Amino acid sequence: MNATLTLDRAYTIGRIDPRIYGSFIEHLGRAVYGGIYEPGHPRADSNGFRRDVIELVKALGVPVVRYPGGNFVSGFNWEDSIGPKSRRPCRLDLAWFTTETNEVGLHEFVEWCRQANTAPMYAVNLGTRGVESARDVVEYSNHRGGSYWSDLRIANGAKDPFGIKLWCLGNEMDGPWQIGHKTAVEYGRIANEAAKAMKWVDPSIEVVACGSSSSEMKTFGDWELTMLEECYDNIDYVSLHRYYSNPTGDTRSFLARSIDMDEFIKTVIAICDAVGGKKHSKKKVNLSFDEWNVWYHSNQQDKEIWKRDKWGRALPLLEDVYNFEDALLVGAILITFLRNVDRVKIACLAQLVNVIAPIMTRSGGGAWAQTIYWPLLQASKFGRGTALRAIVESPQYDCADQEGVPEFDAAAVCADDGSVTIFALNRSLSEHIHLSADLRDFAGLTQASHQILHHDDVKAVNTETNPDNVRPVSTQGGMISSGKLELDIPALSWNVIRLTA
Ligand code: AHR
């Protein structure tokens, strides 16, 4: 098969907000306890943070990490997570039927972020709590001192404010499973009032309102319209959440799911702009895709864990073991974000460690990168600068949920140093694609390097004992001559092609 790609310096989508390479740590399963935190582990530092995990997180280059939930946050009292550890209460977590010890809390997470070279994106509880606790936690975290909550932070050992810039107004409040689930009007009202109060305490913060927990919710669309009517003027972003699965093993349909993601994004943009138009507002509300991933491998195992050990601590929940095809879909979704950077400003791969995560650990043992770690690492490393409008011509196929799926998909980024990176996917199970790229006024770029992620078995996984089974390898970079690049893209592969002078 043949495909073409045309890039022109003048055709851009927009600057890439690095926060699209964000991630998520929830107090769920072994994300915190046994994940980022394991005192007594041979690689733990004096705070109990695992240094091997921090190294893997730092290499990923995640600029923001959403915390502490997730469904967890809708029953969480942030005040339980501050002050001397010995006095912090153990609470039942009704979101995940476990017991939360609060051993890791706000101060510890801020310190972990500092060490991991990232920044917290902090969610407030709009399920069982409300405006008052949302206001208080902003004052505690960001006010310089001289007030009740800020002085308590100082008394708890943090003289300088945490300076948390990004806040989520609750989590998935459209979902009946959520503690304190609300109607769109109820949620829009409380989100608006919380946002006002939080911004009165610290006008420099940005806030994310809950959109739908999935585009498959019956209320999707109506939820966004209704809640935005209530809170449009005081919020900065609307959240989107989406997880995909492949229970029938239909790889072709699975790899086409990024198109569904693109349609979801476009629909939410249209709704935001419709509400803005109706309000005669000059303001644009942007998108925070703050939960996305593949999630299904661990579903059955979780049911058994709850049967056995309901209310246990740090249960091994949502421990999906990702395979090669999952990494390909993650790559396809990253291409989708790069195509929508004019409106998608934040995205969080859910989650970061152990819980539906790119990084796995064994308690007392090693830490390793799952298959999905690699496309995120490469996009985060090379996908910074300006997203180019990549014009792709490719053969197409039809599958169960989608017609006209391009066999070859690509996005391109021009970095500030002038180099260009092409992220490309071949969805064909058996055929390589011969790519002809027209680089026009990028003719000064003469060197091409090419990294390929491929495995002959779509179900291949990485494990503690075989951590490099699925990982990118470098190959012959192809020829650039007179602004034209000719390259072979192997069947079923994720590719990172770097063009430099
Ligand atoms: O990421 C796991 C869960 O998925 C989150 O807690 C929730 O927000 C979503 O339903």
Side-chain angles (χ1 to χ4, degrees):
M1 282 189 288
N2 295 313
T4 64
L5 170 72
T6 307
L7 300 178
D8 190 307
R9 200 182 292 276
Y11 301 161
T12 64
I13 300 169
R15 289 293 292 177
I16 297 162
D17 190 322
R19 295 176 301 176
I20 64 168
Y21 306 119
S23 192
F24 177 26
I25 289 277
E26 177 167 1
H27 279 255
L28 193 188
R30 297 191 308 121
V32 174
Y33 308 109
I36 63 171
Y37 176 81
E38 193 181 335
H41 187 278
R43 299 290 314 276
D45 67 11
S46 57
N47 295 307
F49 298 138
R50 281 185 66 156
R51 279 174 309 205
D52 51 353
V53 173
I54 287 181
E55 279 159 24
L56 284 162
V57 173
K58 274 167 94 170
L60 268 185
V62 286
V64 284
V65 179
R66 188 165 172 255
Y67 175 87
N71 296 339
F72 169 80
V73 81
S74 297
F76 173 60
N77 300 330
W78 71 269
E79 303 89 332
D80 292 347
S81 80
I82 57 170
K85 286 192 183 188
S86 57
R87 286 203 236 127
R88 295 184 196 170
C90 277
R91 300 263 189 204
L92 294 187
D93 166 19
L94 307 188
W96 300 107
F97 302 108
T98 57
T99 302
E100 170 58 49
T101 61
N102 284 300
E103 210 178 316
V104 170
L106 181 51
H107 288 248
E108 291 78 24
F109 188 69
V110 167
E111 173 56 22
W112 181 82
C113 285
R114 201 187 57 74
Q115 289 191 31
N117 247 341
T118 187
M121 174 183 186
Y122 196 83
V124 299
N125 173 358
L126 294 186
T128 58
R129 307 292 294 279
V131 178
E132 185 180 25
S133 78
R135 177 204 61 191
D136 293 348
V137 67
V138 176
E139 180 185 319
Y140 185 91
S141 302
N142 288 5
H143 194 63
R144 62 186 177 275
S147 68
Y148 176 78
W149 289 111
S150 58
D151 284 346
L152 188 57
R153 179 196 72 239
I154 295 166
N156 285 335
K159 183 170 164 297
D160 294 327
F162 297 146
I164 300 174
K165 290 294 169 213
L166 196 53
W167 296 77
C168 301
L169 301 168
N171 177 70
E172 294 189 350
M173 300 306 300
D174 63 318
W177 59 86
Q178 204 68 215
I179 310 165
H181 166 227
K182 295 185 171 37
T183 66
V185 174
E186 286 167 348
Y187 173 69
R189 291 275 308 122
I190 197 172
N192 191 51
E193 295 306 317
K196 266 165 49 187
M198 291 161 79
K199 286 182 170 182
W200 280 335
V201 175
D202 181 354
S204 74
I205 64 170
E206 292 187 307
V207 297
V208 183
C210 294
S212 294
S213 46
S214 160
S215 49
E216 288 188 321
M217 295 295 288
K218 271 209 196 89
T219 47
F220 168 54
D222 199 35
W223 170 272
E224 279 76 1
L225 260 178
T226 309
M227 70 89 183
L228 278 170
E229 288 270 1
E230 301 294 334
C231 64
Y232 190 91
D233 293 335
N234 289 303
I235 61 129
D236 303 286
Y237 306 95
V238 172
S239 73
L240 297 82
H241 290 181
R242 193 71 172 96
Y243 295 97
Y244 292 108
S245 63
N246 186 16
T248 60
D250 177 358
T251 302
R252 296 280 270 172
S253 299
F254 180 60
L255 295 183
R257 301 305 275 152
S258 57
I259 298 174
D260 173 79
M261 190 106 163
D262 192 66
E263 289 167 358
F264 185 16
I265 290 170
K266 298 286 194 308
T267 307
V268 176
I269 292 171
I271 296 171
C272 288
D273 292 351
V275 176
K278 193 170 164 203
K279 287 181 177 287
H280 302 189
S281 174
K282 291 206 184 316
K283 167 180 174 175
K284 279 249 179 291
V285 165
N286 284 318
L287 274 49
S288 170
F289 215 123
D290 48 41
E291 285 189 37
W292 68 274
N293 204 346
V294 174
W295 175 11
Y296 72 107
H297 298 286
S298 60
N299 293 352
Q300 188 50 38
Q301 185 179 310
D302 290 345
K303 286 187 193 139
E304 282 150 28
I305 291 170
W306 277 312
K307 238 189 265 162
R308 235 182 14 241
D309 203 9
K310 201 172 169 191
W311 307 122
R313 294 178 183 182
L315 301 175
L317 294 169
L318 279 67
E319 299 207 356
D320 275 43
V321 175
Y322 289 112
N323 59 36
F324 168 55
E325 68 178 6
D326 298 330
L328 293 178
L329 182 62
V330 163
I333 290 173
L334 289 163
I335 288 176
T336 304
F337 289 148
L338 287 169
R339 286 215 193 93
N340 287 286
V341 293
D342 50 336
R343 298 302 292 273
V344 178
K345 302 294 176 185
I346 303 156
C348 303
L349 177 74
Q351 298 192 8
L352 186 55
V353 184
N354 288 332
V355 170
I356 43 173
I359 299 167
M360 290 300 286
T361 70
R362 184 165 59 83
S363 299
W368 64 100
Q370 295 228 59
T371 61
I372 62 169
Y373 180 89
W374 296 110
L376 181 66
L377 176 138
Q378 292 172 311
S380 171
K381 194 164 173 189
F382 301 119
R384 303 204 181 203
T386 300
L388 299 170
R389 199 165 289 285
I391 314 294
V392 172
E393 290 201 23
S394 160
Q396 299 185 341
Y397 67 93
D398 297 339
C399 59
D401 312 302
Q402 197 75 48
E403 288 182 357
V405 184
E407 301 277 6
F408 174 81
D409 216 348
V413 172
C414 184
D416 293 342
D417 66 4
S419 64
V420 168
T421 301
I422 299 165
F423 300 99
L425 180 75
N426 181 350
R427 291 189 173 97
S428 169
L429 300 182
S430 55
E431 282 189 61
H432 79 267
I433 286 171
H434 182 77
L435 173 68
S436 303
D438 177 350
L439 305 171
R440 301 184 169 218
D441 60 341
F442 291 109
L445 302 177
T446 54
Q447 308 287 321
S449 69
H450 186 181
Q451 290 215 315
I452 298 177
L453 186 71
H454 171 78
H455 201 287
D456 288 338
D457 177 5
V458 287
K459 303 297 179 195
V461 300
N462 292 343
T463 59
E464 185 179 8
T465 50
N466 192 8
D468 295 328
N469 190 30
V470 181
R471 68 174 293 158
V473 293
S474 294
T475 180
Q476 191 73 29
M479 296 291 296
I480 305 181
S481 138
S482 314
K484 297 264 184 210
L485 168 71
E486 304 285 330
L487 204 63
D488 264 345
I489 308 290
L492 267 195
S493 63
W494 159 257
N495 302 260
V496 178
I497 302 149
R498 304 249 309 123
L499 311 176
T500 50

